[in-house]
Amino acid sequence: MNIVVCAKAVPSSTEVKMDPQTNTIVRDGRAAVVNPFDATALELALRIKKMRAQKGDPTTVTVLSMGIPATQDLLRDCIARGADGALLLSDRAFAGADTLATTHALFCGLRKIGDVGLVLCGKMAVDGDTAQIGPELAGALDVPCVADVGELVRVDEERIAAWHATDEGRELVEVGLPAVLTISKDAASLRMPSIEGVLHAEQAHIAVMTAADAGVDVSRIGLAGSPTQVVRSFVPERAVEACEISGTVGEQATRVAALIEEAMR
Ligand code: FAD
């Protein structure tokens, strides 16, 4: 079985810099990490691989990313931790992509990897935060999607069963493969790399594909292929005023009501 883990490079700090001219996120790759949700997805993929190996079933785990060339370092680290290979989609033509354009690029990357039984995405990226890519990829592949998976129960050649979060609590679902699962951050912690893994990763080949190599439809990638338009992005101003309200419960309630009325005027 081929398992693909979609991993996005995200800023390691919560301070995301925006380009005021283009309204896009500035990505210089200097302090990037693998999105924490994707790190968990990788750990689950490695556990599935081990479980299947015990039964004599071979599994390949490939990490797929769309990002700047520096993302190769993060993919190498994924290999050090146990992934078998990595594919980086990197081309200026991908820049400015919204989620639909990102999905098209990743979809083409998946086609290049070929014969994928299971795609694991993070539930969301900590910078973009839309949680759209996983379900969109499932739509593009026309396969089932289970979102916000917290625990895997069973995986065989044809089906996967997992607990996932719902508005009401959690639910056990079973779907046929191929499928896309989006993984909750708390589902597992990514293992540390072994010394052997680090040495192996140093020599490992990271496949890097341009838009042309990946065979994308150029009208569906990058800024041009993005139907979403960011009109303006800004850090919201926060003017916080605090006042103490004392008195009886009735007096406090009257004062709160007056303050709310005042604020709504
Ligand atoms: P989510 O949907 O929250 O991510 C869910 C999961 O999908 C992740 O956990 C991961 O498994 C997978 N995933 C998401 N992105 C990737 C990826 N790149 N590679 C591999 N797996 C992935 N971003 C830029 O970097 N540069 C830009 O110039 C830029 N311009 C934008 C312009 C517009 C108009 C818009 C709307 C967005 C732009 N973005 C840009 C943001 C970019 O679209 C999103 O970061 C991207 O589509 C993924 O969405 P998300 O971060 O919300 O991921």
Side-chain angles (χ1 to χ4, degrees):
M1 181 192 288
N2 286 337
I3 303 178
V4 175
V5 178
C6 293
K8 181 183 184 187
V10 297
S12 62
S13 95
T14 48
E15 219 174 274
V16 176
K17 275 189 256 151
M18 300 295 294
D19 181 328
Q21 246 70 54
T22 59
N23 282 316
T24 55
I25 299 171
V26 176
R27 289 173 199 274
D28 52 18
R30 251 176 290 163
V33 293
V34 168
N35 178 41
F37 290 82
D38 309 347
T40 304
L42 175 58
E43 177 60 30
L44 291 191
L46 297 175
R47 288 184 190 180
I48 296 173
K49 181 179 169 169
K50 185 173 174 196
M51 213 172 60
R52 287 173 51 82
Q54 282 161 356
K55 293 192 223 151
D57 298 330
T59 310
T60 305
V61 177
T62 307
V63 183
L64 170 64
S65 189
M66 182 187 90
I68 59 175
T71 307
Q72 280 182 75
D73 295 342
L74 298 180
L75 297 180
R76 206 168 284 287
D77 182 60
C78 292
I79 292 176
R81 289 169 200 257
D84 298 290
L87 169 58
L88 174 64
L89 303 171
S90 195
D91 194 315
R92 295 195 79 83
F94 292 125
D98 68 3
T99 62
L100 208 60
T102 302
T103 298
H104 179 65
L106 294 177
F107 170 73
C108 292
L110 286 172
R111 268 199 319 214
K112 286 288 171 188
I113 293 167
D115 198 21
V116 176
L118 180 61
V119 180
L120 299 182
C121 288
K123 175 184 139 188
M124 57 190 254
V126 293
D127 56 351
D129 220 356
T130 66
Q132 289 175 6
I133 299 289
E136 282 182 4
L137 261 184
L141 293 163
D142 197 20
V143 301
C145 179
V146 185
D148 204 356
V149 167
E151 190 186 337
L152 294 179
V153 177
R154 215 173 32 257
V155 189
D156 61 37
E157 213 61 46
E158 274 151 25
R159 304 192 74 72
I160 188 163
W163 285 99
H164 81 127
T166 67
D167 288 345
E168 285 75 36
R170 62 181 208 146
E171 178 182 47
L172 178 62
V173 290
E174 188 175 308
V175 294
L177 297 178
V180 176
L181 267 55
T182 80
I183 308 298
S184 147
K185 198 167 56 177
D186 308 322
S189 292
L190 179 57
R191 64 195 61 188
M192 294 300 287
S194 62
I195 293 176
E196 198 183 305
V198 173
L199 293 175
H200 166 66
E202 273 175 17
Q203 308 299 325
H205 170 69
I206 310 279
V208 182
M209 286 190 186
T210 61
D213 297 335
V216 300
D217 173 348
V218 285
S219 68
R220 296 179 65 186
I221 57 160
L223 204 53
S226 298
T228 318
Q229 294 299 318
V230 178
V231 178
R232 188 165 78 94
S233 55
F234 58 94
V235 179
E237 278 175 30
R238 286 179 195 205
V240 181
E241 269 181 50
C243 69
E244 195 180 318
I245 299 168
S246 53
T248 63
V249 173
E251 284 165 349
Q252 288 181 39
T254 310
R255 180 79 187 111
V256 169
L259 282 172
I260 292 172
E261 250 175 53
E262 212 177 293
M264 288 175 68
R265 240 182 259 140

